Amino acid sequence: MKETGFSPADILLPNEEIDMERWAVVACDQYTSQREYWEEADRIVGDAPSTLRLILPECYLEEKNKEERIKAIDETMARYLDEGVFRTFSDSYVLVKRDTESGTRYGLVGKLDLEEYDYSPSSVSPIRATEGTILSRIPPRKEIRKNALLELPHIMVLISDSKKSVIEPLAAKRDTLKVLYSSQLMLNGGHVTGYLVDSKEDKEAISKALLKIKDSLDRENPLLFAMGDGNHSLASAKSSWEDIKAKLPEEERKTHPARYALVEIENIYDPGLEFEPIHRAFFSLKRSDFDEILSHHAMRIEKEKLTSTAEAVKLLRRRKRSFAMLSDGEVILYTLDGTEKGLPAWTIQSVIDEMLHSGKGSVDYIHGIETVEELAKKGAIGIILPDISKDSFFSSILNDRAFPRKTFSIGHANEKRYYIEARKIR
């Protein structure tokens, strides 16, 4: 297990009296432009024990009372531990079965060794980022982790297991495993079931299967784990560990809990794993200014007015050098030529960088075309990007390094990982 960087953990779960539907909430980096989602989640949770009280939704990250929110999180963690909200499953994995609109998918919760992770653009580490890491996003997330007693993962990490040797054998025998939880998820999140994986036989089988995959990789560029979701959360955990490690004797570094991060690994070949492009919405920006900035990053730009968003999505499946704009009630297909890189997300990122440098507007990263349409109706410029292929995902990372930040997402916003498991980090 040490050789692969993924191992069992001492996993905390809410006790059997806790209402799981109110306990589990979606990843904090979802619905950042839709505060009403988080207000509704707060109404549903009420005074019940919930992971909503243990995380900071990112729509509140820039608020003036952020420090008070973080202090309340730390205090709630301590209170939940003192009041016996949690039960502990030592040296275990959790097999997760998630039923969503896109289908059923499986994952395995365990801990990753942060010593095996490098989020730099030139990384050739076994665990690495798949999208550009924005260093300025790390400090505020480190603040949340700084005094926290617990970590709760929304991190999803991908493995390329075409033989389906790691997770699928556990899924096939799930009826023989102990059910830890089974619940509907709030606000159309689907259904989730967790199974205990703690036998020596199963743990050894996981380790051997991962090691076999690792042994098949290029020793100079051994990409075993590729970030799916939560890259900045894992990068913050890594940065926090580097701070802690610097103050520890060598022997303590080997076993300190902050050296690890709790994650869910998923097989990219799971048929229930749906890749979705993450779209963009520009605010306080004129279309003429967008076009002017775009012209700085493409030698040729063709525009085609379309009748609907559905038509745009259909065309984007065939035209990988294109994106669609929703603005002023119009749908326009942009096709680019003479760009620095072929992926439209790279060109849009160049537009974003120049726009932010000039102070002409702001941007948000949007999960779901319907949300882009809603924001466009309110005056934003909506940008719809084409899909990313699962088949070429790992090879793209090996050949071209990371994608631009927030290029893809695993499923729709309501299909992201919900917080359920926790782990002590101090």
Side-chain angles (χ1 to χ4, degrees):
M1 297 174 192
K2 292 179 181 177
E3 294 179 22
T4 65
F6 184 68
S7 59
D10 294 340
I11 295 175
L12 304 181
L13 285 169
N15 67 52
E16 294 175 341
E17 297 175 357
I18 303 297
D19 180 349
M20 285 297 295
E21 190 166 351
R22 291 198 285 177
W23 172 261
V25 296
V26 78
C28 65
D29 59 349
Q30 303 305 302
Y31 303 103
T32 53
S33 293
Q34 296 164 281
R35 187 169 296 196
E36 61 271 17
Y37 176 94
W38 292 102
E39 291 170 350
E40 178 62 9
D42 185 74
R43 185 196 67 77
I44 292 169
V45 167
D47 295 329
S50 175
T51 56
L52 182 60
R53 310 307 177 203
L54 305 177
I55 58 110
L56 179 58
E58 292 193 2
C59 67
Y60 302 121
L61 204 55
E62 302 301 323
E63 289 200 344
K64 293 180 180 179
N65 67 343
K66 182 183 71 175
E67 289 75 16
E68 283 127 18
R69 286 181 177 271
I70 293 173
K71 183 181 178 182
I73 289 169
D74 294 339
E75 291 172 349
T76 304
M77 286 180 177
R79 181 164 58 83
Y80 282 5
L81 287 167
D82 290 342
E83 292 178 353
V85 168
F86 293 103
R87 49 188 171 145
T88 303
F89 296 89
S90 301
D91 195 33
S92 300
Y93 294 109
V94 175
L95 173 70
V96 178
K97 175 177 177 282
R98 180 81 179 275
D99 299 302
T100 71
E101 296 169 359
S102 299
T104 297
R105 70 173 191 257
Y106 292 90
L108 190 65
V109 176
K111 67 180 191 292
L112 276 181
D113 186 351
L114 294 170
E115 287 289 299
E116 299 293 312
Y117 170 54
D118 178 3
Y119 54 79
S120 67
S122 59
S123 171
V124 290
S125 62
I127 308 166
R128 72 185 77 162
T130 51
E131 298 178 322
T133 303
I134 308 302
L135 299 182
S136 62
R137 297 188 68 197
I138 294 177
R141 286 153 185 81
K142 283 178 68 176
E143 280 298 306
I144 299 169
R145 196 177 178 91
K146 182 178 179 181
N147 297 311
L149 298 173
L150 306 172
E151 65 172 359
L152 295 95
H154 72 263
I155 300 164
M156 294 169 62
V157 181
L158 303 173
I159 58 173
S160 182
D161 182 16
S162 59
K163 295 182 179 179
K164 299 184 176 181
S165 62
V166 179
I167 300 171
E168 287 77 5
L170 296 168
K173 59 177 288 186
R174 65 187 182 277
D175 289 344
T176 68
L177 302 175
K178 177 180 179 179
V179 176
L180 296 172
Y181 54 79
S182 181
S183 176
Q184 289 295 123
L185 295 169
M186 70 169 70
L187 296 172
N188 301 314
H191 189 277
V192 67
T193 307
Y195 303 86
L196 180 64
V197 180
D198 64 347
S199 74
K200 181 180 178 181
E201 177 187 3
D202 286 335
K203 289 188 286 189
E204 287 182 349
I206 293 166
S207 182
K208 288 178 181 178
L210 282 172
L211 193 56
K212 191 170 184 179
I213 296 172
K214 183 178 180 180
D215 287 343
S216 70
L217 303 176
D218 180 353
R219 291 183 181 275
E220 301 299 318
N221 195 8
L223 177 57
L224 181 58
F225 299 104
M227 292 303 303
D229 278 331
N231 178 54
H232 286 89
S233 291
L234 193 64
S236 299
K238 170 71 170 183
S239 183
S240 296
W241 165 237
E242 292 297 326
D243 293 346
I244 293 168
K245 182 174 70 171
K247 302 173 185 177
L248 293 177
E250 186 65 35
E251 196 60 30
E252 287 186 35
R253 295 178 182 182
K254 297 177 182 178
T255 57
H256 195 285
R259 172 173 171 160
Y260 303 91
L262 200 63
V263 305
E264 179 179 335
I265 66 169
E266 297 190 1
N267 184 8
I268 199 168
Y269 290 101
D270 188 323
L273 190 68
E274 290 288 334
F275 270 37
E276 298 283 342
I278 300 179
H279 308 295
R280 277 66 170 142
F282 290 89
F283 304 94
S284 304
L285 183 71
K286 296 178 182 177
R287 262 171 65 175
S288 58
D289 288 336
F290 176 92
D291 286 347
E292 172 66 22
I293 297 172
L294 180 64
S295 70
H296 301 162
H297 303 282
M299 293 178 64
R300 192 170 124 200
I301 303 168
E302 293 183 0
K303 299 182 188 178
E304 179 183 353
K305 285 189 178 182
L306 305 179
T307 58
S308 66
T309 306
E311 183 185 6
V313 171
K314 186 176 180 180
L315 288 172
L316 287 175
R317 291 189 184 123
R318 302 198 304 267
R319 303 185 190 178
K320 297 303 181 182
R321 299 181 68 87
S322 299
F323 66 86
M325 172 188 282
L326 309 186
S327 178
D328 297 328
E330 295 182 331
V331 181
I332 305 169
L333 187 74
Y334 282 65
T335 300
L336 310 177
D337 195 15
T339 57
E340 185 177 350
K341 296 184 179 180
L343 200 66
W346 276 114
T347 308
I348 295 297
Q349 187 58 48
S350 297
V351 171
I352 292 169
D353 293 342
E354 183 175 338
M355 177 200 71
L356 294 178
H357 181 72
S358 67
K360 288 186 176 179
S362 61
V363 66
D364 197 4
Y365 298 83
I366 308 299
H367 297 266
I369 290 174
E370 290 181 359
T371 303
V372 179
E373 291 177 319
E374 291 172 10
L375 293 172
K377 288 176 183 177
K378 295 177 182 178
I381 294 175
I383 300 295
I384 297 175
L385 292 169
D387 294 340
I388 297 292
S389 170
K390 287 203 304 184
D391 293 334
S392 61
F393 183 83
F394 269 71
S395 60
S396 294
I397 299 300
L398 288 170
N399 295 328
D400 301 327
R401 307 303 189 204
F403 295 109
R405 68 180 291 242
K406 290 189 175 291
T407 300
F408 68 92
S409 173
I410 298 175
H412 303 298
N414 63 329
E415 298 176 338
K416 310 304 284 185
R417 191 173 203 285
Y418 274 56
Y419 299 105
I420 297 177
E421 295 85 0
R423 187 180 73 93
K424 290 182 181 179
I425 54 175
R426 64 182 72 251

